[in-house]
PDB file of all heavy atoms in Angstrom:
ATOM      1  N   LEU A 878       7.847   9.551  18.042  1.00  0.00           N
ATOM      2  CA  LEU A 878       7.782   8.258  18.744  1.00  0.00           C
ATOM      3  C   LEU A 878       7.719   6.979  17.828  1.00  0.00           C
ATOM      4  O   LEU A 878       8.388   6.018  18.155  1.00  0.00           O
ATOM      5  CB  LEU A 878       6.452   8.405  19.647  1.00  0.00           C
ATOM      6  CG  LEU A 878       6.464   9.577  20.694  1.00  0.00           C
ATOM      7  CD1 LEU A 878       5.168   9.501  21.400  1.00  0.00           C
ATOM      8  CD2 LEU A 878       7.611   9.483  21.579  1.00  0.00           C
ATOM      9  N   LYS A 879       6.941   7.094  16.836  1.00  0.00           N
ATOM     10  CA  LYS A 879       6.657   5.994  15.904  1.00  0.00           C
ATOM     11  C   LYS A 879       7.995   5.661  15.096  1.00  0.00           C
ATOM     12  O   LYS A 879       8.452   4.463  15.047  1.00  0.00           O
ATOM     13  CB  LYS A 879       5.603   6.197  14.865  1.00  0.00           C
ATOM     14  CG  LYS A 879       5.310   5.197  13.935  1.00  0.00           C
ATOM     15  CD  LYS A 879       4.256   5.604  12.892  1.00  0.00           C
ATOM     16  CE  LYS A 879       2.845   5.818  13.620  1.00  0.00           C
ATOM     17  NZ  LYS A 879       1.773   6.105  12.602  1.00  0.00           N
ATOM     18  N   GLU A 880       8.682   6.688  14.620  1.00  0.00           N
ATOM     19  CA  GLU A 880       9.947   6.381  13.794  1.00  0.00           C
ATOM     20  C   GLU A 880      10.977   5.842  14.708  1.00  0.00           C
ATOM     21  O   GLU A 880      11.745   4.940  14.263  1.00  0.00           O
ATOM     22  CB  GLU A 880      10.459   7.745  13.155  1.00  0.00           C
ATOM     23  CG  GLU A 880       9.494   8.209  12.033  1.00  0.00           C
ATOM     24  CD  GLU A 880       9.661   7.372  10.820  1.00  0.00           C
ATOM     25  OE1 GLU A 880      10.714   6.807  10.567  1.00  0.00           O
ATOM     26  OE2 GLU A 880       8.660   7.290  10.119  1.00  0.00           O
ATOM     27  N   THR A 881      11.111   6.279  15.950  1.00  0.00           N
ATOM     28  CA  THR A 881      12.107   5.662  16.896  1.00  0.00           C
ATOM     29  C   THR A 881      11.735   4.271  17.175  1.00  0.00           C
ATOM     30  O   THR A 881      12.695   3.411  17.113  1.00  0.00           O
ATOM     31  CB  THR A 881      12.124   6.520  18.120  1.00  0.00           C
ATOM     32  OG1 THR A 881      12.382   7.897  17.784  1.00  0.00           O
ATOM     33  CG2 THR A 881      13.328   6.126  19.080  1.00  0.00           C
ATOM     34  N   ARG A 882      10.455   4.087  17.395  1.00  0.00           N
ATOM     35  CA  ARG A 882      10.139   2.662  17.701  1.00  0.00           C
ATOM     36  C   ARG A 882      10.338   1.691  16.440  1.00  0.00           C
ATOM     37  O   ARG A 882      10.815   0.486  16.665  1.00  0.00           O
ATOM     38  CB  ARG A 882       8.646   2.640  18.149  1.00  0.00           C
ATOM     39  CG  ARG A 882       8.194   1.307  18.724  1.00  0.00           C
ATOM     40  CD  ARG A 882       6.895   1.405  19.443  1.00  0.00           C
ATOM     41  NE  ARG A 882       5.861   2.013  18.514  1.00  0.00           N
ATOM     42  CZ  ARG A 882       5.369   3.274  18.720  1.00  0.00           C
ATOM     43  NH1 ARG A 882       5.723   4.019  19.732  1.00  0.00           N
ATOM     44  NH2 ARG A 882       4.449   3.780  17.973  1.00  0.00           N
ATOM     45  N   GLU A 883      10.066   2.191  15.324  1.00  0.00           N
ATOM     46  CA  GLU A 883      10.155   1.395  14.088  1.00  0.00           C
ATOM     47  C   GLU A 883      11.649   1.163  13.648  1.00  0.00           C
ATOM     48  O   GLU A 883      11.972   0.041  13.216  1.00  0.00           O
ATOM     49  CB  GLU A 883       9.344   1.891  12.916  1.00  0.00           C
ATOM     50  CG  GLU A 883       7.883   1.957  13.108  1.00  0.00           C
ATOM     51  CD  GLU A 883       7.192   2.519  12.034  1.00  0.00           C
ATOM     52  OE1 GLU A 883       7.947   3.203  11.225  1.00  0.00           O
ATOM     53  OE2 GLU A 883       5.919   2.531  11.874  1.00  0.00           O
ATOM     54  N   GLU A 884      12.500   2.139  13.826  1.00  0.00           N
ATOM     55  CA  GLU A 884      13.895   2.107  13.320  1.00  0.00           C
ATOM     56  C   GLU A 884      14.700   1.356  14.233  1.00  0.00           C
ATOM     57  O   GLU A 884      15.760   0.561  13.846  1.00  0.00           O
ATOM     58  CB  GLU A 884      14.338   3.450  12.893  1.00  0.00           C
ATOM     59  CG  GLU A 884      13.645   4.140  11.724  1.00  0.00           C
ATOM     60  CD  GLU A 884      14.355   5.384  11.246  1.00  0.00           C
ATOM     61  OE1 GLU A 884      15.471   5.628  11.697  1.00  0.00           O
ATOM     62  OE2 GLU A 884      13.834   6.119  10.368  1.00  0.00           O
ATOM     63  N   ILE A 885      14.572   1.719  15.522  1.00  0.00           N
ATOM     64  CA  ILE A 885      15.624   1.019  16.480  1.00  0.00           C
ATOM     65  C   ILE A 885      14.945   0.366  17.659  1.00  0.00           C
ATOM     66  O   ILE A 885      15.492   0.055  18.664  1.00  0.00           O
ATOM     67  CB  ILE A 885      16.568   2.160  17.020  1.00  0.00           C
ATOM     68  CG1 ILE A 885      15.922   3.238  17.581  1.00  0.00           C
ATOM     69  CG2 ILE A 885      17.513   2.638  15.807  1.00  0.00           C
ATOM     70  CD1 ILE A 885      16.936   4.382  18.261  1.00  0.00           C
ATOM     71  N   GLY A 886      13.642   0.234  17.643  1.00  0.00           N
ATOM     72  CA  GLY A 886      12.911  -0.498  18.615  1.00  0.00           C
ATOM     73  C   GLY A 886      12.853   0.135  20.004  1.00  0.00           C
ATOM     74  O   GLY A 886      12.724  -0.537  21.105  1.00  0.00           O
ATOM     75  N   VAL A 887      13.239   1.460  20.096  1.00  0.00           N
ATOM     76  CA  VAL A 887      13.207   2.186  21.430  1.00  0.00           C
ATOM     77  C   VAL A 887      11.807   2.809  21.475  1.00  0.00           C
ATOM     78  O   VAL A 887      11.439   3.594  20.674  1.00  0.00           O
ATOM     79  CB  VAL A 887      14.263   3.141  21.434  1.00  0.00           C
ATOM     80  CG1 VAL A 887      14.211   4.047  22.602  1.00  0.00           C
ATOM     81  CG2 VAL A 887      15.698   2.460  21.269  1.00  0.00           C
ATOM     82  N   THR A 888      11.261   2.686  22.840  1.00  0.00           N
ATOM     83  CA  THR A 888      10.054   3.422  23.192  1.00  0.00           C
ATOM     84  C   THR A 888      10.469   4.673  23.987  1.00  0.00           C
ATOM     85  O   THR A 888      10.928   4.576  25.045  1.00  0.00           O
ATOM     86  CB  THR A 888       9.146   2.568  24.040  1.00  0.00           C
ATOM     87  OG1 THR A 888       8.740   1.385  23.224  1.00  0.00           O
ATOM     88  CG2 THR A 888       7.885   3.354  24.450  1.00  0.00           C
ATOM     89  N   LEU A 889      10.139   5.787  23.396  1.00  0.00           N
ATOM     90  CA  LEU A 889      10.395   6.993  24.029  1.00  0.00           C
ATOM     91  C   LEU A 889       9.426   7.488  24.918  1.00  0.00           C
ATOM     92  O   LEU A 889       8.199   7.381  24.609  1.00  0.00           O
ATOM     93  CB  LEU A 889      10.822   8.144  22.961  1.00  0.00           C
ATOM     94  CG  LEU A 889      12.031   7.970  22.088  1.00  0.00           C
ATOM     95  CD1 LEU A 889      12.112   8.977  20.995  1.00  0.00           C
ATOM     96  CD2 LEU A 889      13.350   8.014  23.062  1.00  0.00           C
ATOM     97  N   ASP A 890       9.848   8.338  26.008  1.00  0.00           N
ATOM     98  CA  ASP A 890       8.813   8.892  26.867  1.00  0.00           C
ATOM     99  C   ASP A 890       8.404  10.208  26.326  1.00  0.00           C
ATOM    100  O   ASP A 890       9.355  11.102  26.135  1.00  0.00           O
ATOM    101  CB  ASP A 890       9.433   9.045  28.251  1.00  0.00           C
ATOM    102  CG  ASP A 890       8.561   9.726  29.299  1.00  0.00           C
ATOM    103  OD1 ASP A 890       7.381  10.063  28.955  1.00  0.00           O
ATOM    104  OD2 ASP A 890       9.010  10.024  30.391  1.00  0.00           O
ATOM    105  N   PRO A 891       7.175  10.407  25.921  1.00  0.00           N
ATOM    106  CA  PRO A 891       6.772  11.757  25.427  1.00  0.00           C
ATOM    107  C   PRO A 891       7.277  12.999  26.270  1.00  0.00           C
ATOM    108  O   PRO A 891       7.562  13.940  25.772  1.00  0.00           O
ATOM    109  CB  PRO A 891       5.323  11.689  25.107  1.00  0.00           C
ATOM    110  CG  PRO A 891       5.028  10.169  25.186  1.00  0.00           C
ATOM    111  CD  PRO A 891       6.048   9.557  26.097  1.00  0.00           C
ATOM    112  N   ALA A 892       7.088  12.720  27.681  1.00  0.00           N
ATOM    113  CA  ALA A 892       7.397  13.756  28.599  1.00  0.00           C
ATOM    114  C   ALA A 892       8.892  14.168  28.585  1.00  0.00           C
ATOM    115  O   ALA A 892       9.306  15.253  29.009  1.00  0.00           O
ATOM    116  CB  ALA A 892       7.060  13.393  29.995  1.00  0.00           C
ATOM    117  N   ALA A 893       9.780  13.238  27.978  1.00  0.00           N
ATOM    118  CA  ALA A 893      11.167  13.498  28.054  1.00  0.00           C
ATOM    119  C   ALA A 893      11.596  14.331  26.729  1.00  0.00           C
ATOM    120  O   ALA A 893      12.718  14.616  26.656  1.00  0.00           O
ATOM    121  CB  ALA A 893      12.019  12.247  28.111  1.00  0.00           C
ATOM    122  N   GLY A 894      10.764  14.616  25.787  1.00  0.00           N
ATOM    123  CA  GLY A 894      10.978  15.181  24.611  1.00  0.00           C
ATOM    124  C   GLY A 894      10.681  16.712  24.590  1.00  0.00           C
ATOM    125  O   GLY A 894       9.751  17.196  25.145  1.00  0.00           O
ATOM    126  N   GLN A 895      11.308  17.352  23.696  1.00  0.00           N
ATOM    127  CA  GLN A 895      11.017  18.775  23.500  1.00  0.00           C
ATOM    128  C   GLN A 895      11.397  19.127  22.116  1.00  0.00           C
ATOM    129  O   GLN A 895      12.356  18.647  21.501  1.00  0.00           O
ATOM    130  CB  GLN A 895      11.778  19.663  24.462  1.00  0.00           C
ATOM    131  CG  GLN A 895      13.301  19.576  24.522  1.00  0.00           C
ATOM    132  CD  GLN A 895      13.934  19.975  25.755  1.00  0.00           C
ATOM    133  OE1 GLN A 895      14.046  21.249  25.962  1.00  0.00           O
ATOM    134  NE2 GLN A 895      14.213  19.107  26.706  1.00  0.00           N
TER     135      GLN A 895
END
Side-chain angles (χ1 to χ4, degrees):
L878 302 176
K879 182 184 292 186
E880 288 293 327
T881 306
R882 190 167 53 249
E883 290 178 354
E884 290 190 11
I885 56 176
V887 172
T888 299
L889 292 173
D890 178 6
Q895 52 200 284

